[in-house]
Amino acid sequence: MPVRADDPARRAVERAARASYGRLVAFLSTRTRDVAGAEDALAEAFATALQQWPADGVPANPDAWLLTVARRRGADALRRRRTSAVHAPHLMLIADEIEAAAASLGDIPDRRLALMFACAHPAIEPGIRTPLILQTILGLTAAAIASAFLMPPATMGQRLVRAKARLREAGIAFAIPDKEELPGRLDAVLEAVYAAYAKGWAETGEPGTPQLADEAIWLGRVLVALLPEQPEAKGMLALMLQAEARRPARRDTGGAYVPLDAQDTRLWDIARVREAEMLLAEANAGGPSGRYQIEAAIQSAHAARRLHGVASWGAIVALYDLLFALAPSPVVALNRAVARAELDGPAAALEEIDRLAGDPRMADYQPYWAARGHLCARAGRCGDAKAALTLAIGLAADPAVRLYLQGQRDRLCNGGT
Amino acid sequence: MRYLLMLYADEAVGSKFTPDEMRPFMEQMFAYQAALTKAGAFVATAPLARTDRACTIRMEGGEMKVHDGPYAETREQFGGYFIIEAADIDMARTWAARCPAATWGSIEIREIIDHCYP
């Protein structure tokens, strides 16, 4: 029987895939140390759910249902691979453990964190550690990860497959590593959690659906609790909380997009801002500043607008200079240029982003064209502004952003060239 | 790799818009085409006339059978297409998600097979 896309059972499967994928992979692969195998078993469980839930109804505990089916598939596959009776007690042990855990899903997140640190093992090539965490623990697709890392999706896919094979070959332990090993692995874990937050930041989604942003903040809290002496963990949590505090102000009552400088600061979640400020103060007292502390400080300077009515652009530009020295990416260069426009005017900023124009990664990077359009408009270059804003509109996947940019293009250069 | 993005939408809904109301949508589609071109991903596009001007033919026993209307009667009709150049299906999906038509209908993505057999 064909299943319609809007079938409630299908939506329940999608919700479970979205909310629980990483949790379930983390759990299934803890003992077997086989992430690819766990994903295969889980994929079969989701396929079974798509067949059965529309007919039989959605089970009361979808996660436990999926875990049980995936566990059976995984055990079958293991049995096929090594039929020796020696392994039977081991398999029984896994089955028992999973059964017990399915009854109390609250235990799983710590294992998930353990798996995140395992993905950041020295045996895994540094550049692929964060994408591996994003895919296996947070359930992001290779395409979404590739776009976050400005990389072709096919390349990203191949590298992920190789890294998973490497995890299995090396028999990497899914235990939280010793204290002295943590700092060396923390960067990749922080980067993955933050990339997940960045992906979830723009999502509005159905009410009541667990959001990727909430998930990332929750993991950030677990990390801070696990590593209270690490300033960057606190810095990253502060950064996420600052961004999350603005969520209620990012759309008006009609659902239209509101840019940061036009947001009603009274709508910002002041409890989250305060928590972020406290974390950042603790982080700054705790050691040298890393990129998350600097980025959190930039957001903190934006948040100061709630108190003073104006953002402190001098401080923001100085912080971006610091950030660029630490992490010279085209995205940081772009953001720094946009901040500089507030101090030195649009022409100076345009000169800076002109240097990025030849970077092929900018050709389909929507924020680049939106920034370029706004700066050209302010510099009175109406033709250039229209052309850049047109590209930004064409690259926007969010209809609210599209409408906002369209409005900008219509207004800023009314009757322009 | 080349991909065909088939744009489906409900004609009955679309026909209720006046030309003035349609203009913002058309501007968005134009911007989308400009972005595809800038990124080197644009190959071709065309809008299609309404399905009440379509007919479907089939040869049966050497005889042509003509049926008025599209091949399948569905709520959403095939109303236009883009052919794009993309590294893989993931990239094709990324471009399809940016197509404004995805917000008022659905888009089917099909890879175009480039081999020609004599």
Side-chain angles (χ1 to χ4, degrees), chain A residues 170-194:
Chain A
I172 288 165
F174 291 111
I176 293 181
D178 293 335
K179 269 261 185 278
E180 61 268 25
E181 288 177 303
L182 284 178
R185 299 194 194 183
L186 183 61
D187 282 358
V189 174
L190 290 179
E191 198 183 349
V193 172
Y194 187 65

Side-chain angles (χ1 to χ4, degrees), chain A residues 154 364 390 395 399 402 406 409, chain B residues 24 27-28 31 34 88 98 103:
Chain A
D364 63 351
T390 298
L395 289 167
R402 211 145 53 207
Q406 234 172 335
R409 192 184 58 181
Chain B
E27 276 182 13
Q28 290 186 9
D88 55 26
R98 288 165 171 161
T103 55

Side-chain angles (χ1 to χ4, degrees), chain A residues 214-249:
Chain A
D214 290 341
E215 189 92 342
I217 289 177
W218 189 83
L219 285 167
R221 290 188 195 284
V222 176
L223 281 168
V224 168
L226 181 72
L227 298 162
E229 75 290 355
Q230 287 290 332
E232 277 291 85
K234 284 183 179 154
M236 187 197 60
L237 181 56
L239 175 58
M240 293 192 293
L241 289 169
Q242 285 282 13
E244 200 58 22
R246 294 183 200 138
R247 191 179 285 277

Side-chain angles (χ1 to χ4, degrees), chain A residues 72-259:
Chain A
R72 273 190 220 125
R73 297 296 147 92
D76 287 350
L78 259 183
R79 270 190 214 106
R80 279 197 297 275
R81 253 186 275 159
R82 16 178 165 137
T83 46
S84 163
V86 182
H87 295 292
H90 177 57
L91 289 173
M92 290 303 294
L93 202 70
I94 297 175
D96 288 350
E97 195 178 330
I98 290 175
E99 212 77 81
S104 59
L105 284 166
D107 293 348
I108 298 178
D110 283 314
R111 291 164 184 269
R112 189 157 47 151
L113 206 58
L115 184 54
M116 292 173 89
F117 278 104
C119 289
H121 191 275
I124 302 295
E125 185 199 334
I128 200 69
R129 290 174 193 163
T130 300
L132 190 59
I133 295 170
L134 282 169
Q135 194 190 38
T136 58
I137 290 88
L138 294 159
L140 266 62
T141 64
I145 300 165
S147 98
F149 284 76
L150 308 177
M151 191 192 274
T155 314
M156 181 57 86
Q158 284 161 6
R159 296 182 63 196
L160 282 167
V161 169
R162 277 204 299 271
K164 270 182 246 176
R166 182 88 193 102
L167 268 180
R168 187 175 48 212
E169 284 158 20
I172 288 165
F174 291 111
I176 293 181
D178 293 335
K179 269 261 185 278
E180 61 268 25
E181 288 177 303
L182 284 178
R185 299 194 194 183
L186 183 61
D187 282 358
V189 174
L190 290 179
E191 198 183 349
V193 172
Y194 187 65
Y197 179 78
K199 172 98 180 32
W201 184 82
E203 292 179 347
T204 42
E206 298 173 50
T209 309
Q211 299 290 305
L212 197 54
D214 290 341
E215 189 92 342
I217 289 177
W218 189 83
L219 285 167
R221 290 188 195 284
V222 176
L223 281 168
V224 168
L226 181 72
L227 298 162
E229 75 290 355
Q230 287 290 332
E232 277 291 85
K234 284 183 179 154
M236 187 197 60
L237 181 56
L239 175 58
M240 293 192 293
L241 289 169
Q242 285 282 13
E244 200 58 22
R246 294 183 200 138
R247 191 179 285 277
R250 285 186 359 232
R251 295 287 155 98
D252 72 11
T253 47
Y257 170 81
V258 185

